[in-house]
Amino acid sequence: MDQSTGTWISQDGEARPVLHVRKCRYEVIAGPDDGLVKEFAASIVRIGRKGADLVLNDRAVSGLHAEVSMSEHGYRLRDLESSNGTFTAGMRVRDIDLTPRATITVGQTQVRFVPLEDTVAYPLWSDTKYVSMVGKSWAMRNVFELIDKIAPSEATVLIHGETGTGKELVAEAVHQRSPRSEGPFVVLDCSAIPHHLMEGQLFGHVRGAFTGAINNRAGVFERAHGGTLFLDEIGELPPDAQSKLLRAVESRTVRPLGSSDVVKCDVRMVAATNRDLAVETNRGSFRSDLYYRLAVARVEVPPLRDRLEDLELLIEHFAEMITGAPHAPMPENFLERAKNHSWPGNVRELRNVVEQALTAPSLIDMGGDGTRGKSLWSIDTSIPFKVAKQHFVDEFDRRFMTTLLKEHDWNISAAARATGVDRMSVYKLLDRLGIDREKD
């Protein structure tokens, strides 16, 4: 493959899919680290002063400043909302295609980006199933292979993905494939707990600790002793709880509210978020030291719109779960219509639609143009109110911006002027919603 391609898939001699990742060299040509050269063979490389892949001793560089990602389409440079910005070709950039041998400027440092001929081959999971997950796309097989590598260790894991992509299933797979599989798997949804109750949920309390505390209550750390603690949507954790969580993770001890005694807790920590915590650390809304402690191993769960080849397999999987019988008949053209939908609620939304298709097929209305029918706007009371509300807001934003940009031939400046929205706000909205001209 030529150097304009960052990753690609091939088959090895046993017909096992293999992900090829190009090695890239980062040459510091100006700044405090002038002369530093590093090579990486990773789909994402982060540049920053602390906790990054390419670490720079430049005071003008943020902790996690920018990242370069690779795909079959090439390379992208993204600023992580750094304090002083990221520049290339004399322009300040937020998210841009990166050309080979381009110079990236962060702070007082200039870095030349050089793709190499050498590549590293990463075998992908050979099956379409892994624990309770299914997927035949290379993106999901890569996730399965990664989980299988990190699960046997004691490393903390940070799972990132949009709402509804199946982050809890990834956490369960890490637990099931670990030496702790016989221990408890305890889940705490940080987005569903009021801030003033968070510390008690995490660390527990003793009788009399506060009004209404009539009995001792163990927190999730104690309940997960000997097993795995999964903190879902950890990006919603309030600042005061973040510092206490960091101490608990590092010391493996907790102090219940109202108690002077310290309780030892042998737990493996797995966390998940739909936020970009690297960006949140630059904003100051998430502690950088907690982020570094959690992101020892990172798993990125792709949105459903980026792996539509998994639709048929997922539909069959959900239909069998719901009916208890394989090959349950679906409404006519259901798969074709599903392929034209953007699935903002991801796999969770697909499961709900499959269930409705099996129980009330007359209500399903997925137009060929990908618009949502009323079944896709149905209320899902199994998820927190805040999450359900965000689904509706995100879908409105996605529809509005996609229609607006099509009307203006994807000219973002013209679209921003027409609707009275700041151009940078449009960029942020497109990034949050995952809207891309090639896909949408």
Side-chain angles (χ1 to χ4, degrees):
M1 303 293 290
D2 62 52
Q3 291 180 327
S4 64
T5 302
T7 64
W8 64 93
I9 301 295
S10 70
Q11 302 287 124
D12 65 12
E14 299 176 355
R16 185 179 185 186
V18 175
L19 172 65
H20 296 268
V21 178
R22 185 177 300 284
K23 279 188 178 181
C24 294
R25 187 168 63 236
Y26 294 76
E27 306 170 348
V28 179
I29 58 176
D33 299 287
D34 189 10
L36 176 67
V37 177
K38 293 283 188 179
E39 291 183 4
F40 301 97
S43 56
I44 295 179
V45 172
R46 285 181 169 166
I47 304 169
R49 198 176 68 252
K50 184 179 179 183
D53 302 296
L54 179 62
V55 178
L56 302 172
N57 297 305
D58 185 341
R59 292 181 178 273
V61 170
S62 297
L64 292 169
H65 195 108
E67 72 176 25
V68 176
S69 60
M70 297 194 294
S71 71
E72 65 273 22
H73 303 299
Y75 316 95
R76 292 191 72 82
L77 172 65
R78 183 167 73 99
D79 179 70
L80 299 176
E81 296 199 15
S82 60
S83 299
N84 295 318
T86 299
F87 299 79
T88 187
M91 299 181 297
R92 182 167 183 166
V93 299
R94 183 173 179 275
D95 189 345
I96 192 172
D97 290 330
L98 187 64
T99 57
R101 303 195 66 80
T103 298
I104 304 167
T105 302
V106 291
Q108 303 300 315
T109 299
Q110 292 184 350
V111 182
R112 183 183 291 124
F113 170 71
V114 185
L116 305 175
E117 292 289 345
D118 293 342
T119 65
V120 174
Y122 296 96
L124 301 181
W125 193 250
S126 58
D127 197 2
T128 59
K129 295 183 179 180
Y130 188 84
V131 189
S132 57
M133 296 179 288
V134 297
K136 66 179 182 179
S137 63
W138 76 261
M140 285 308 296
R141 290 191 181 195
N142 190 36
V143 169
F144 299 162
E145 185 72 23
L146 180 57
I147 295 171
D148 212 60
K149 282 185 169 65
I150 64 179
S153 72
E154 284 292 305
T156 54
V157 182
L158 180 62
I159 305 165
H160 176 256
E162 295 178 7
T163 299
T165 50
K167 297 187 291 293
E168 185 169 343
L169 294 180
V170 173
E172 288 179 357
V174 170
H175 174 71
Q176 291 296 329
R177 293 288 181 145
S178 76
R180 296 173 174 266
S181 59
E182 298 300 320
F185 178 73
V186 179
V187 180
L188 179 66
D189 184 354
C190 299
S191 67
I193 307 298
H195 288 185
H196 67 282
L197 299 178
M198 184 63 70
E199 190 173 346
Q201 290 288 328
L202 287 170
F203 311 125
H205 64 257
V206 297
R207 180 180 178 182
F210 49 84
T211 302
I214 58 176
N215 294 304
N216 293 348
R217 178 180 173 83
V220 291
F221 269 89
E222 286 187 72
R223 300 206 303 273
H225 181 74
T228 303
L229 173 58
F230 175 49
L231 297 183
D232 197 11
E233 299 303 347
I234 198 168
E236 306 297 328
L237 205 64
D240 57 335
Q242 292 177 26
S243 59
K244 294 172 182 176
L245 174 61
L246 176 62
R247 286 197 297 271
V249 172
E250 291 184 333
S251 67
R252 294 200 172 196
T253 61
V254 298
R255 189 190 303 275
L257 292 177
S259 174
S260 58
D261 297 327
V262 172
V263 180
K264 291 185 177 181
C265 299
D266 175 25
V267 302
R268 183 192 190 166
M269 177 74 67
V270 179
T273 180
N274 62 6
R275 296 190 181 193
D276 188 335
L277 292 189
V279 170
E280 298 298 327
T281 61
N282 286 332
R283 291 175 177 168
S285 59
F286 198 85
R287 290 181 63 107
S288 59
D289 46 4
L290 178 58
Y291 170 76
Y292 302 139
R293 187 65 183 84
L294 293 173
V296 176
R298 296 197 301 256
V299 178
E300 186 77 26
V301 187
L304 184 54
R305 63 179 175 275
D306 287 349
R307 54 185 186 100
L308 293 180
E309 60 266 44
D310 289 337
L311 271 175
E312 185 173 6
L313 196 63
L314 286 166
I315 291 170
E316 291 179 358
H317 175 69
F318 290 139
E320 185 172 352
M321 286 177 56
I322 294 165
T323 64
H327 311 299
M330 298 298 295
E332 185 179 0
N333 298 325
F334 182 83
L335 178 59
E336 288 73 15
R337 287 178 286 167
K339 289 179 178 178
N340 289 320
H341 182 55
S342 61
W343 299 108
N346 290 293
V347 180
R348 181 187 290 129
E349 180 187 5
L350 176 62
R351 189 199 184 286
N352 292 341
V353 174
V354 169
E355 184 172 12
Q356 192 161 26
L358 292 168
T359 56
S362 61
L363 296 180
I364 294 295
D365 180 20
M366 289 184 292
D369 60 351
T371 57
R372 301 181 74 184
K374 71 176 181 178
S375 70
L376 299 177
W377 284 97
S378 59
I379 301 299
D380 181 7
T381 56
S382 67
I383 60 178
F385 168 80
K386 183 177 180 180
V387 175
K389 181 180 179 181
Q390 191 62 45
H391 284 179
F392 281 88
V393 174
D394 286 350
E395 179 59 15
F396 169 80
D397 291 346
R398 180 177 285 102
R399 280 187 169 195
F400 184 90
M401 294 309 302
T402 302
T403 302
L404 177 69
L405 287 167
K406 284 180 179 177
E407 290 175 353
H408 292 275
D409 196 27
W410 290 83
N411 184 317
I412 291 178
S413 296
R417 287 193 298 271
T419 194
V421 177
D422 178 74
R423 183 169 58 89
M424 290 309 297
S425 297
V426 174
Y427 276 115
K428 290 180 180 180
L429 194 59
L430 298 183
D431 185 52
R432 178 173 68 82
L433 297 172
I435 295 176
D436 183 276
R437 179 174 184 173
E438 293 181 0
K439 299 170 185 173
D440 297 286

